[in-house]
Amino acid sequence: VPVPGPVRVAMPGAVRGALRTLCLCLCLAALGAGGTELTLELPDSAQRCFHQELESGIKFTLDYQVISGGHYDVDCYVEDPNGKTIYQETKKQYDSFSHHTEAKGVYTFCFGNEFSTFSHKIVYFDFQVGDEPPILPDMNNRVTALTQLESACVTIHEMLKAVIDSQTHYRLREAQDRSRAEELHGRVSYWSVGETLILFVVSIGQVMLLKSFFTEKRPSSSRAGT
């Protein structure tokens, strides 16, 4: 009896093309503009600077937010390779700055906390370089309309970006609220300890005062002789 070999199923060209498009969408969705996310601790009366070498004609975006410390504000400025300040803000809680580079070289962005003398800050920033590549090849130069699968890929990609942005936003809000709750808890604890000490002092004072009212005074020796 002949042993049957492997069965091959013919796949229509449309299905193969759809699968290739889907795989390409998934691969491109994993790629994006280069960027850096970092959370740093900024001591009081200190400044932290970061440097990034960029080509000319490239877009970069800087988003930052103070998570905890003081009044949740920080100074920030950005300089180009020629030392020119292209962005500067003082005592900002959060902000976003986008710029297209005009010169090739090292760009510097700094966070300052010099105006604070006793409170340190925790700052989150996201530094994105370049534009995001299109989800589909030649998407901007296409003449024909997108297929149903391609439209679904684009929609899913946009929704995933929105989900990532929302998660980052809520994560920062959660960290900020947790810092405020811990600060409030510390204040309540110190106030409770102070109230306890005051109660002890007042209680001891009242006991001593009442004891002095009921203490029997002995007559002096001169009156006893007369």
Side-chain angles (χ1 to χ4, degrees), residues 40 42-49 75 77 108 110-114:
L40 61 100
L42 191 61
D44 53 286
S45 303
Q47 179 177 285
R48 296 284 299 275
C49 294
D75 296 341
Y77 69 88
T108 304
C110 300
F111 299 99
N113 193 29
E114 292 92 343

Side-chain angles (χ1 to χ4, degrees), residues 46-160:
Q47 179 177 285
R48 296 284 299 275
C49 294
F50 300 87
H51 310 275
Q52 179 67 41
E53 185 174 0
L54 300 174
E55 299 289 335
S56 61
I58 293 180
K59 177 185 176 182
F60 70 85
T61 302
L62 175 63
D63 299 322
Y64 64 91
Q65 180 176 345
V66 182
I67 299 177
S68 67
H71 296 287
Y72 300 89
D73 52 357
V74 71
D75 296 341
C76 181
Y77 69 88
V78 182
E79 290 184 351
D80 63 4
N82 299 324
K84 177 183 177 183
T85 302
I86 57 179
Y87 171 81
Q88 185 174 8
E89 290 290 344
T90 57
K91 296 185 178 181
K92 293 283 290 186
Q93 295 184 355
Y94 58 89
D95 201 4
S96 179
F97 171 69
S98 298
H99 181 73
H100 284 83
T101 60
E102 298 178 356
K104 177 182 178 181
V106 177
Y107 285 77
T108 304
F109 58 97
C110 300
F111 299 99
N113 193 29
E114 292 92 343
F115 57 88
S116 180
T117 56
F118 57 89
S119 62
H120 67 279
K121 311 290 177 61
I122 297 180
V123 183
Y124 162 85
F125 73 88
D126 181 12
F127 187 75
Q128 297 291 333
V129 179
D131 295 323
E132 184 181 1
I135 186 65
L136 297 174
D138 299 330
M139 183 175 177
N140 297 329
N141 300 324
R142 295 189 59 168
V143 180
T144 59
L146 297 177
T147 64
Q148 185 176 0
L149 183 60
E150 291 173 343
S151 300
C153 290
V154 174
T155 303
I156 292 174
H157 179 67
E158 296 297 331
M159 293 177 65
L160 288 176

Side-chain angles (χ1 to χ4, degrees), residues 203-218:
S203 300
I204 294 174
Q206 288 179 347
V207 170
M208 294 180 64
L209 182 61
L210 290 175
K211 185 178 179 181
S212 66
F213 289 159
F214 295 97
T215 300
E216 182 180 1
K217 296 182 178 180
R218 297 180 181 181

